[in-house]
Amino acid sequence: LSKRVDKMPLGSGALAGHPFNIDREALAKDLGFSGLCMNSLDAVSDRDFIAEFLFFGSLLGVHLSQWAEDLIIYGSGEFRYVAMSDAYSTGSSLMPQKKNPDALELLRGKSGRNIGDLIGLLTTLKGLPSTYNKDLQEDKELLFDCVDTLNACIPIATGVMSTLKPNPERMRGGLAGEMLATDLADYLVRKGVPFRETHHIAGEAVALAEERGCDLVDLKHKDLKPLHEAFEPDVENVWSMEASVECRSAIGGTSKAAV
């Protein structure tokens, strides 16, 4: 965006340039611009750069909102995977035992404000004819509001993250054996069985565990062998959450090395 707006509009006049033969290229060089706005009609009315910044602000707000929602859920009593600092939460006015994730809820709410700024500008622009119109004064308030909102949200998000306390034991307690069903399918793929088949076979293994009233990871080699001849005794090594995480070692994966 900075490169694209590095064009000097000075000399465009009200809409059709000027009649005084000023060297705009020399003026742009003196003022530190990389080039000129070549269309005077567009130069005085273009607000694309503001719309794009407001879109950036809206999208950043949406990402912060999604991130906040994840932490709100993971910090709830049902999960308790993370705990927020008292500096970014408050007690409930009704329930003494409850801690409200105020900062995260405010971050989630502020995203709507940024989106509103963007929609407000686009609504203003959509009915305008070419060149400058007084309606364009509305761009300042929306731009400044978005900037102020982001300047408030980013430090708060940083503070929440830097003081957040994970609860590894609760996270481990949330693991379930059926999460390894895909790893079971992957095991057969490594044995040369097409995934379109292994997906179905893993589903049969899950159904077998449900039928026996046990966890998927309680199935032994002898239980799995009837499902496909490619199962060997080493299949039981699949029943490891740690191994499941670590085998995803490609860039962007979940292994410790990748992270």
Side-chain angles (χ1 to χ4, degrees), residues 63-242:
H63 287 309
L64 288 176
S65 178
Q66 293 173 323
W67 170 78
E69 177 63 10
D70 281 342
L71 293 182
I72 289 171
I73 292 173
Y74 292 147
S76 66
E78 291 80 2
F79 290 88
R80 287 185 288 159
Y81 291 167
V82 296
M84 287 184 62
S85 165
D86 289 343
Y88 295 97
S89 57
T90 62
S92 168
S93 60
L94 176 63
M95 297 172 283
Q97 83 283 3
K98 187 173 183 291
K99 180 186 285 189
N100 291 326
D102 286 357
L104 293 174
E105 291 176 357
L106 290 170
L107 285 173
R108 190 176 58 187
K110 289 295 184 182
S111 66
R113 184 177 186 129
N114 290 342
I115 293 170
D117 289 335
L118 173 62
I119 297 301
L121 179 66
L122 294 177
T123 303
T124 297
L125 295 177
K126 76 174 186 64
L128 296 183
S130 301
T131 73
Y132 182 78
N133 293 268
K134 212 69 170 179
D135 314 50
L136 292 172
Q137 288 190 144
E138 291 297 312
D139 65 353
K140 313 299 187 298
E141 183 178 1
L142 300 171
L143 174 62
F144 298 160
D145 180 69
C146 183
V147 171
D148 290 343
T149 300
L150 292 178
N151 281 337
C153 288
I154 293 173
I156 290 174
T158 302
V160 169
M161 178 58 79
S162 63
T163 58
L164 198 70
K165 293 183 179 179
N167 188 340
E169 292 305 316
R170 287 286 301 183
M171 294 179 185
R172 291 191 188 95
L175 297 175
E178 60 264 22
M179 293 179 176
L180 296 173
T182 302
D183 295 81
L184 186 65
D186 292 343
Y187 169 87
L188 290 175
V189 170
R190 294 187 179 95
K191 298 292 185 179
V193 184
F195 184 79
R196 62 180 177 273
E197 296 179 27
T198 69
H199 184 278
H200 177 72
I201 296 167
E204 290 181 331
V206 172
L208 177 62
E210 291 177 350
E211 180 183 326
R212 294 187 177 184
C214 66
D215 202 338
L216 179 64
V217 298
D218 294 327
L219 297 179
K220 305 299 183 183
H221 169 243
K222 62 183 179 62
D223 302 313
L224 297 170
K225 187 67 175 179
L227 300 181
H228 198 282
E229 60 182 12
F231 282 121
E232 299 178 8
D234 64 346
V235 67
E236 296 179 23
N237 296 331
V238 170
W239 307 141
S240 166
M241 297 293 180
E242 185 76 16

Side-chain angles (χ1 to χ4, degrees), residues 1 4 42 45-53 121 125:
L1 182 59
R4 291 179 48 234
D42 182 64
S45 61
D46 175 59
R47 295 298 183 274
D48 289 2
F49 62 99
I50 296 181
E52 290 175 23
F53 178 84
L121 179 66
L125 295 177

